Each structure stands twice: as C-alpha cells, then as structure tokens.
Amino acid sequence: MDRMFRVLGFWTGIFAVMFYLGGMNTTSLLFFGQTGFFVILSYLKLSERMYIYIFGAYLTVFFIGFSYWTTFMMIPGQGGGH
C-alpha cells in the first residue's frame, strides 16, 4: 500500500509541473503540497488499514472543499468561453 502512495505522489507531481508550466501557480503549489504529503506518508510504513483510513479522510476533505468551491465560489457562466 505504501507504493500506491508513491504512485499518487508521482502523478500529483506530474500534474503540479503541468499546472506550473501552464501558468496556474496557485494550483501547482497545491499539487506540490499533495505530492510532498503522499511521498512522506509512503515512507512511514503504516499498516494497510491505516493507509486506507488516511486515504478515506483525504477524499472526504477533497469532496468537502470541492463542493464548497463549486457551490459558493464559482460564478455561473464565467467559464472563459473560447
């Protein structure tokens, strides 16, 4: 299970670099933070159950943050339409 957190760290790192190259600096910092979190967590040698609990908590926090942002912060019709 610890290897899967390294894989998550790898992919969030790839996304962070792509966001940075695309000029989305705030989003890239968020993803670099997630990369560090996943990589550090992967070397703690926790039990598989603990890794599942941590991942479930991570998904819960993400869902709450994403729901809040899309409900209260986004302005309808402001997609930037190309």
Side-chain angles (χ1 to χ4, degrees):
M1 192 56 129
D2 53 345
R3 291 182 186 175
M4 284 311 300
F5 274 81
R6 286 185 210 131
V7 170
L8 284 169
F10 171 77
W11 284 111
T12 54
I14 295 294
F15 273 76
V17 169
M18 292 300 187
F19 281 132
Y20 180 74
L21 293 176
M24 302 172 77
N25 296 331
T26 305
T27 309
S28 71
L29 286 175
L30 178 68
F31 272 76
F32 277 125
Q34 290 180 12
T35 300
F37 171 73
F38 286 139
V39 170
I40 289 170
L41 198 62
S42 72
Y43 286 104
L44 291 180
K45 299 292 183 191
L46 303 172
S47 67
E48 188 167 342
R49 178 179 292 195
M50 195 63 197
Y51 279 122
I52 294 295
Y53 286 154
I54 290 172
F55 188 65
Y58 168 78
L59 289 179
T60 302
V61 169
F62 167 78
F63 182 73
I64 290 169
F66 183 77
S67 298
Y68 175 81
W69 181 264
T70 56
T71 303
F72 299 112
M73 302 300 284
M74 290 183 73
I75 300 170
Q78 293 290 345
H82 294 301

